[in-house]
Amino acid sequence: MVTAIELKEWSDGIWRILVDINIALTNIRIIRVERENEMHSIKQGFFPMFEMQQRFIIVVQLAKVFSDKKGQRLNVIKICNKLECGPFDEEIKAMLDENKAKLTDVFRSHEDVIVAVKGFRVNIESKKEILDKVLDMRDKVYAHSDKDGKFQAIDILELDKLNILAQEMYNTLYGKIFDRYFFFRSEDWDLRWVIAQLKKMEEFRRQITSSSTDLQGSA
């Protein structure tokens, strides 16, 4: 049986993971944009290592979401299996009944849930190649140093496809039952403020250097 408490606990755990993934993805995008804009301090030292750490977070957290291994309590495949098979407890049944009177895009029956789950299974299968690379990286490179483990260049756009799918599944499997949704924004936690301060520092250094050069030239 699927209970409302179980579904809430699943959503709380998945929410934290998805927030991590979105912050890390945003940070990588910020670093790459500023690198292309020739921001000097972003090209060396801390930031290349930080970018690697952000990729580590994304891969490990995506593996938690999509891996169907026994120990992965929060993964979407297990919750899909439970939601598809049912039955639902009385609290979920009551919410589905309440949803019948709503004009919003919500689940109104177990059949609605089953249709959504089947669609997600097709979507997950279509991303099997990316998922295999992510899980292989997590299992053989990041979690263990296997002899056959090789670092795979997983494009950031590929990782974002899995992230978008995970967000959609969260806002569907939880959101359309409880009629509650979350938009995963990262402004409060990502690198934007840090980069802004670094730019001010670089501009200040340029002004100091320029002033010093002018003074030497007039001496």
Side-chain angles (χ1 to χ4, degrees):
M1 176 179 289
V2 184
T3 67
I5 291 175
E6 177 186 16
L7 193 53
K8 288 174 183 176
E9 289 176 347
W10 173 82
S11 71
D12 287 345
I14 286 289
W15 178 85
R16 293 183 180 90
I17 289 172
L18 294 179
V19 168
D20 281 351
I21 293 170
N22 277 275
I23 293 170
L25 279 166
T26 301
N27 283 337
I28 290 178
R29 293 191 193 100
I30 291 170
I31 290 170
R32 293 186 173 186
V33 167
E34 297 300 341
R35 188 181 294 138
E36 290 174 1
N37 290 339
E38 297 298 319
M39 184 177 176
H40 178 71
S41 59
I42 211 90
K43 296 181 180 181
Q44 57 190 357
F46 168 79
F47 285 99
M49 176 59 71
F50 183 72
E51 184 176 353
M52 290 176 60
Q53 292 172 339
Q54 298 301 281
R55 182 177 288 272
F56 171 89
I57 289 171
I58 296 165
V59 168
V60 171
Q61 296 293 60
L62 282 173
K64 290 179 185 178
V65 175
F66 289 102
S67 173
D68 195 24
K69 287 189 173 181
K70 186 177 180 180
Q72 298 295 160
R73 179 177 59 86
L74 294 171
N75 80 81
V76 293
I77 298 171
K78 282 189 173 67
I79 201 69
C80 278
N81 291 341
K82 296 204 72 172
L83 288 171
E84 189 173 37
C85 295
F88 297 155
D89 73 354
E90 293 305 315
E91 187 175 351
I92 293 180
K93 289 179 182 177
M95 284 187 287
L96 292 175
D97 284 338
E98 290 175 8
N99 287 346
K100 290 176 182 177
K102 297 179 179 179
L103 299 178
T104 50
D105 184 16
V106 291
F107 290 146
R108 295 171 173 82
S109 67
H110 192 181
E111 288 71 27
D112 289 346
V113 177
I114 291 172
V115 170
V117 167
K118 288 182 177 178
F120 283 132
R121 291 193 192 282
V122 172
N123 209 339
I124 291 172
E125 183 61 29
S126 72
K127 293 172 177 57
K128 186 177 184 303
E129 184 177 348
I130 306 172
L131 275 170
D132 286 347
K133 288 193 288 186
V134 167
L135 298 179
D136 198 56
M137 278 283 288
R138 195 279 307 269
D139 293 342
K140 296 182 179 181
V141 178
Y142 288 149
H144 307 282
S145 297
D146 290 6
K147 291 181 179 179
D148 60 339
K150 296 180 180 179
F151 188 91
Q152 300 194 54
I154 310 174
D155 189 82
I156 197 71
L157 294 177
E158 292 182 307
L159 295 173
D160 198 31
K161 287 179 181 179
L162 295 182
N163 175 50
I164 291 169
L165 174 58
Q167 289 181 57
E168 183 184 356
M169 294 184 76
Y170 171 89
N171 276 322
T172 299
L173 301 177
Y174 173 76
K176 289 190 178 185
I177 292 176
F178 290 86
D179 198 14
R180 298 174 189 169
Y181 309 91
F182 188 82
F183 298 95
F184 294 90
R185 302 178 65 177
S186 62
E187 288 90 339
D188 291 339
W189 305 285
D190 62 41
L191 284 172
R192 288 180 176 90
W193 185 85
V194 175
I195 296 294
Q197 304 314 305
L198 285 173
K199 285 183 175 179
K200 289 179 182 178
M201 289 175 63
E202 287 194 355
E203 180 60 28
F204 179 72
R205 289 193 188 110
R206 280 195 292 269
Q207 291 174 358
I208 293 296
T209 302
S210 177
S211 298
S212 176
T213 303
D214 291 343
L215 287 172
Q216 290 175 4
S218 61

